[in-house]
Amino acid sequence: MTDQRTMTSRQILAVCRSNWEYRGIDDGSVREMLDELSAHLEDAAAAGRTPQDVVGDDVKGFAASWARARTPFARRLLRTAAMVCFVIGCLLLITCLVRWTTERVVRVDDVAFWAVLAAVTVAWELRRGSLGLGRTLAVALAAGLAAVLLSLWLGGDGALFTLPLWAAPVLLLPGLPYAVADARARKSAAPGVE
């Protein structure tokens, strides 16, 4: 392991990137923060100072404090909850379109699936950072399918209530601005892929 007192600027940037992605900061903000930190490190080098003069002896602590200042927990929680609603709304809409129906009967296994999908997604996003929508959904679906099998085994398959098709757009709305912002950030990052 590298001694934090002798880390190069490149190593510091890598530690910060990893920390910020771990904390779920969106890709656009991570790039912006890395650019800003890189500029500070270059200015320090030009002035004859070391990278540790900029970030201190605890690089992980520096990155964590900047991440907390940049994206507070409450804002990350709100974004993640909105994105969970967005994903559930998408899945509900797709289910209604595939079955060509205007309502969805919700059973015990559905509730177990949605609850586990939401819990895994929120926990993963808040704790580990963003894997991207596809990978996060794959992890959540794997856990959700296990919950479905367990709930079918324990609770049966009786109907709890009926969810109308108009609930899908209502669930989509809170996450729509975040989904659009993420899509724009990916699109603007595409030409400069490292």
Side-chain angles (χ1 to χ4, degrees), residues 88-109:
I88 291 173
C90 286
L91 292 174
L92 176 63
L93 183 62
I94 290 168
T95 302
C96 286
L97 292 176
V98 166
R99 293 182 180 173
W100 202 248
T101 182
T102 59
E103 58 187 24
R104 171 81 159 87
V105 175
V106 178
R107 301 183 320 246
V108 173
D109 59 318

Side-chain angles (χ1 to χ4, degrees), residues 39-103:
H40 288 301
L41 292 170
E42 288 171 8
D43 290 345
R49 296 183 1 238
T50 67
Q52 285 69 32
D53 292 335
V54 175
V55 298
D57 289 335
D58 183 11
V59 177
K60 291 179 184 177
F62 168 81
S65 67
W66 197 355
R68 282 190 298 274
R70 180 69 180 224
T71 309
F73 180 78
R75 190 170 3 150
R76 287 187 291 134
L77 182 62
L78 178 64
R79 179 190 184 282
T80 302
M83 290 307 293
V84 166
C85 288
F86 184 80
V87 169
I88 291 173
C90 286
L91 292 174
L92 176 63
L93 183 62
I94 290 168
T95 302
C96 286
L97 292 176
V98 166
R99 293 182 180 173
W100 202 248
T101 182
T102 59
E103 58 187 24

Side-chain angles (χ1 to χ4, degrees), residues 30-46:
V30 168
R31 280 191 306 280
E32 185 180 307
M33 293 164 71
L34 286 170
D35 289 343
E36 186 177 338
L37 179 56
S38 181
H40 288 301
L41 292 170
E42 288 171 8
D43 290 345

